[in-house]
Amino acid sequence: MRTARSRTGPLFQLGARRQRAERLHARPSATQHAAARRLLLARVVAVALALIGAWLPASAAHAAGTVTIADRSPKEDDGRWKLKMTINYGGTPHLGHIPMLFSFTPTVHYERALTDKSPETPILVRTPLQNQQSINESMDVGFSDASGKVFAITKFDFVLRRDHGFEAGEYDLVIKRAGDGVQMGQKQKITLQGDNPIMDRRAIVFSGEKKKKDDKTEKADAEKSNEPAKEQASEGETAPDAAEAEPSAEETPPSEAPPPVEPKQGGCGCRLSPDDAATPIALPLVAMGAAAALARRRRARRA
């Protein structure tokens, strides 16, 4: 028969301790959970600080100082736009005047066009632009006064002109120092308000319009056209009188005949009567007869 083991012996106590240790390892306490969370949070904060430390020098090298524009949508005045700026150098510059490059990149063009729907009044068409060449203007910005004292902040007025290629529309403005190429402030968007030249976008119609004449000009033309008819009529009326004034052929005396021409001597020795010489048909007959007589004489001589 099997005997029951006592639960108070040393072996039983050792097994109970092992079970308790296993339970403690299997189920961590709340303090262990809190410690793990703190460790994870510390690691996340360390990574964030490392990223911020790496980003700050790059941003400082990319942009320095600040640029503030009083009015980003100036209106055109006699073909010009004025930008009033406040430039903070980010520290005291080493020179009183710093050369800077102002780059204006067109993004939207404002076109005034006449269309078929609006043939008389121009309409405003905003045309987006891409990959446009920027308009660069180089200027020396002064950070000193008349006494030569240098300041970190200055006020600067920049004037844009149409004869430099500017038109009404939207632009992206980037300002850089000409010496090291460092950008001053952030890129800014400005809008130049004004009226660009009108473009005719209407369909082309190949039909001419007839000019309307005034009533006075029509009457004058009609009178001018009637004047030749009246002159012809007046001439026609005077024509019979002129015809009557001229004498008829029967009434006019015959003109004297030309003097008679004496016939030339020679030929066959035959004389023609004045009536035969006057008729044109007798001349060829006389010539034929003379030729026949000559031929007979020659034959007779040869015989």
Side-chain angles (χ1 to χ4, degrees), residues 89-157:
Y89 194 78
T92 304
H94 61 286
L95 295 175
H97 291 79
I98 304 298
M100 295 186 181
L101 181 65
F102 297 80
S103 298
F104 298 85
T105 304
T107 57
V108 179
H109 181 257
Y110 291 171
E111 181 183 273
R112 299 171 63 217
L114 295 175
T115 61
D116 295 336
K117 295 182 180 180
S118 180
E120 300 297 336
T121 304
I123 60 176
L124 181 61
V125 181
R126 294 178 173 86
T127 306
L129 304 176
Q130 294 181 357
N131 301 326
Q132 296 295 314
Q133 186 176 2
S134 59
I135 303 174
N136 299 324
E137 296 284 344
S138 298
M139 296 292 292
D140 291 341
V141 181
F143 288 87
S144 61
D145 57 5
S147 63
K149 186 178 180 180
V150 181
F151 301 91
I153 301 174
T154 184
K155 291 185 178 181
F156 181 73
D157 293 343

Side-chain angles (χ1 to χ4, degrees), residues 243-266:
E244 291 178 358
E246 293 180 357
S248 60
E250 296 177 355
E251 295 177 357
T252 55
S255 59
E256 297 180 357
V261 180
E262 297 180 359
K264 295 182 179 180
Q265 300 297 329

